[in-house]
């Protein structure tokens, strides 16, 4: 994407969840564009926080000031107040996405994914109500699609506890725009993949554990296989986050974000193994426990977002997987 | 309604929020039908809990054992575990409905309306997973209707913090049915009115403060006046709650509940003053602060609920208001 990014230079920016997968990719880009970046991260490694995410060689060539890191929950208002007060743009990316964990400990999921967001938004309202706020929401709470592609008017039907809490957190962002005039936007993400995602297990994305098996030359399981899904390569998503922050039209709005056209999980597995040249997979019947919270086919219509911001993805699924495999070939030790 | 109510005799029942408006009306009916009723109530008078609600003369004629009362939050699992474990039917009515309070203290609203429900449901799942559970939800989170009458497929769009939390609580009830096979039903209530509602102010329902002014012979304010709304007389709603508990078809479902056909707020005010023979009102322009969270016209389609349970309302708006005024003429001292 050839967006003009001069507006990022010297811009004070906060990225929550900045040590995690999406947050770190965004933070590194912002740093490269000369922004003054402060990361707020609770450092929960099980949900993807990883110091290596912001420590790899790409940073040797950085132009701007160093990244600042505040190790804190986004609900810990006293610890983060100064950073929040001074930001022009706040990317609120923090959260855990493990559906199974949310079912095992629903109260903890509520604290992490909902209550902290409420505290955080209320802090912004008090100390920096004109900041631009971009929230990473999820397509997950649409539940099993009633039609395809899914647009933003699709009914809400959270299939698990995580979905209930993510929807509540998104609702806060929209309410605070409507009632307090805050400048928030929510992006409903689909399957995001790429360098710096958690690959130790499937807690962040099933594609993580697939990549691990591919580079380790072992066999992974494809549950079902016919399910259609769309994917966003993380660099394209970073483009989308930046385009959002720079768009007045998107204030107070919710958008789907897709990217690569949908493929079946079977096609994805075949592509991954072919690109890696190592690893293999076997198809398995969907386990009963997961079936209850699975959503079947999903792909979205993201044309409203493209129309509002001019964004379009540039990395197709094959190229994205190639870059992902290449990253983990040389960085695997930090992610296992 | 001439439902067969023999199934209530000796039935161990829990009613949360049982000292409040709807809960107490339900509890008194259940008691009269011979059920063994345990109330769980946090006794928050500002949200309608009132000892007088279960102390008035109607109880002289009761047939069954006395009501048991546990003064506790529904999230205080240790204090309520025995009662929950022994119940066949659990009516989960507790909650606060003040939109303004939810905006002033959103975290407290989350505790009361969402977190406590999560703890409560999880307790039921652990100690009594086959209990019949009926949850009093609200039409409030539909937001401003996009079409009328509003059916259950209408998009969710919470207009305030209270709506976010009530929707999350309803979602928990539906999830626990789908995932754990629990026997929950949610009823989305509209404006419920009648004896035992809070009339000191408008925290529970605007109609409360109108009734107070009417019986005190003072003047109340009608904000706007053209808004169309539907109303449920509380005895009809009690019928609906009982019909739900006794219906297998409604397990795992969400239903709208209406009752009296919609009228404008102006018509309602005129009817109230005429029936009371005292009091007056003046129309006022809608205050800006409330306008942001008001929903405009609302009336629902409740035909799916009627078809599933056979329920229908029997008290029209005029008769309901007559009974309400009569109640407060003799009981006002306990509600002011």
């Amino acid at each position: 994407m050839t967006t003009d990014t001069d507006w990022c230079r010297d811009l004070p920016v906060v990225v929550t969840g900045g040590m995690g997968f999406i947050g770190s990719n965004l933070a590194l880009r912002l740093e490269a564009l000369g922004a003054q970046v402060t990361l707020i991260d609770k450092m929960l490694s099980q949900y993807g926080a990883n110091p290596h995410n912001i420590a790899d060689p790409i940073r040797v060539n950085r132009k701007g000031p160093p990244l600042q890191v505040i190790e804190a929950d986004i609900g810990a208002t006293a610890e983060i107040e100064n950073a929040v007060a001074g930001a022009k743009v706040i990317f609120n990316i923090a959260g855990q996405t493990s559906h199974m964990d949310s079912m095992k400990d629903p109260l903890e999921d509520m604290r992490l994914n909902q209550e902290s967001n409420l505290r955080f938004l209320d802090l912004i309202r008090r100390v920096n109500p004109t900041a631009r706020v971009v929230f990473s929401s999820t397509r997950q709470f649409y539940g099993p699609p009633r039609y395809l592609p899914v647009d933003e008017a699709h009914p809400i039907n959270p299939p698990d506890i995580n979905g209930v809490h993510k929807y509540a957190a998104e609702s806060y962002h929209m309410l605070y725009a409507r009632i307090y005039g805050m400048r928030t936007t929510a992006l409903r993400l689909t399957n995001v993949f790429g360098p710096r995602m958690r690959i130790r297990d499937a807690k962040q994305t099933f594609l993580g554990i697939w990549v691990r098996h591919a580079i380790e030359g072992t066999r992974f399981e494809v549950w079902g296989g016919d399910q259609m899904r769309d994917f966003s390569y993380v660099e394209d998503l970073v483009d989308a986050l930046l385009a959002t922050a720079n768009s007045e039209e998107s204030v107070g709005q919710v958008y789907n974000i897709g990217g690569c056209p949908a493929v079946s999980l079977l096609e994805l597995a075949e592509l991954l193994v072919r690109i890696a040249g190592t690893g293999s997979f076997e198809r398995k019947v969907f386990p009963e426990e997961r079936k209850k919270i699975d959503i079947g086919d999903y792909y979205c219509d993201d044309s409203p977002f493209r129309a509002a911001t001019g964004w379009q993805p540039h990395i197709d699924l094959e190229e994205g997987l190639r870059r992902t495999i290449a990253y983990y070939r040389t960085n695997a030790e930090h992610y296992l």
Side-chain angles (χ1 to χ4, degrees), chain A:
Chain A
M1 191 181 186
T2 54
T3 280
D4 176 8
T5 49
D6 279 352
W7 63 277
C8 294
R9 191 175 313 279
D10 299 323
L11 190 75
V13 176
V14 160
V15 179
T16 74
M19 302 290 270
F21 165 37
I22 296 168
S24 64
N25 279 283
L26 173 63
L28 293 172
R29 176 82 71 83
L30 283 163
E31 184 189 40
L33 294 172
Q36 298 167 25
V37 186
T38 301
L39 311 184
I40 299 172
D41 201 293
K42 203 179 179 177
M43 291 304 295
L44 297 178
S45 64
Q46 70 270 36
Y47 300 129
N50 189 332
H52 182 73
N53 280 343
I54 58 165
D56 68 353
I58 199 176
R59 300 188 65 218
V60 172
N61 298 319
R62 67 174 172 72
K63 293 184 271 183
L67 297 175
Q68 304 290 322
V69 179
I70 301 173
E71 188 173 333
D73 187 282
I74 61 168
T77 50
E79 296 167 51
I80 64 175
E81 178 169 337
N82 285 345
V84 168
K88 291 282 188 196
V89 178
I90 297 169
F91 293 98
N92 185 13
I93 316 290
Q96 81 92 355
T97 59
S98 167
H99 313 316
M100 297 310 280
D101 284 4
S102 83
M103 298 307 299
K104 280 183 198 135
D105 192 345
L107 279 166
E108 176 65 9
D109 193 81
M110 191 188 76
R111 303 254 175 278
L112 279 174
N113 283 317
Q114 182 181 338
E115 179 175 344
S116 288
N117 275 296
L118 179 52
R119 291 179 186 277
F120 186 62
L121 264 179
D122 226 53
L123 174 66
I124 301 172
R125 180 179 66 80
R126 281 184 279 114
V127 305
N128 192 0
T130 60
R132 188 72 176 90
V133 180
V134 182
F135 175 63
S136 65
S137 186
T138 172
R139 56 91 171 145
Q140 196 259 344
F141 50 65
Y142 288 125
R146 298 185 194 179
Y147 55 82
L148 291 167
V150 171
D151 57 24
E152 292 86 355
H154 186 284
I156 302 302
N157 185 22
D160 64 10
I161 290 285
N162 187 258
V164 175
H165 298 152
K166 289 291 281 189
Y167 181 66
E170 182 193 282
S171 299
Y172 292 148
H173 283 79
M174 292 303 99
L175 267 184
Y176 275 56
R178 201 184 318 152
I179 296 178
Y180 300 118
M182 281 174 57
R183 299 171 59 229
T184 61
T185 303
L187 304 184
R188 292 178 178 167
L189 312 186
T190 183
N191 298 284
V192 186
F193 74 104
R196 301 180 185 81
M197 67 184 171
R198 182 177 169 95
I199 64 166
R200 187 184 294 179
D201 51 36
K203 268 187 200 292
Q204 192 171 65
T205 161
F206 71 89
L207 194 45
I209 191 72
W210 287 18
V211 165
R212 176 179 183 167
H213 282 288
I215 64 170
E216 291 184 336
T218 51
R219 191 159 66 171
F220 60 91
E221 295 177 351
V222 177
W223 294 345
D226 297 327
Q227 309 98 300
M228 299 293 291
R229 296 290 162 84
D230 53 6
F231 294 86
S232 304
Y233 183 65
V234 68
E235 289 295 336
D236 281 328
L237 181 66
V238 167
D239 287 344
L241 290 163
L242 295 179
T244 307
N246 197 31
S247 145
E248 275 305 312
E249 186 179 336
S250 65
V251 168
Q253 302 296 316
V254 168
Y255 297 103
N256 290 336
I257 302 281
C260 311
V263 296
S264 74
L265 295 191
L266 186 62
E267 290 172 291
L268 177 70
E270 287 167 347
L271 187 61
L272 177 66
V273 168
R274 179 165 63 75
I275 288 169
T278 50
S280 62
F281 66 90
E282 71 178 314
R283 292 182 76 168
K284 301 273 270 191
V285 175
F286 223 112
E288 209 52 43
E289 191 192 24
R290 277 204 75 93
K291 207 169 192 172
K292 284 181 183 168
I293 60 169
D294 188 62
I295 60 159
D297 295 340
Y298 177 90
Y299 46 94
C300 77
D301 173 7
D302 60 11
S303 57
F305 180 73
R306 295 184 191 218
T309 64
W311 172 82
Q312 50 178 317
H314 292 272
I315 311 294
D316 67 19
L317 187 58
E318 184 161 344
E319 175 63 16
L321 289 173
R322 205 179 304 282
R323 294 186 188 187
T324 304
I325 291 288
Y327 180 82
Y328 288 102
R329 289 275 188 222
T330 53
N331 291 276
E333 63 185 306
H334 302 293
Y335 293 89
L336 298 177

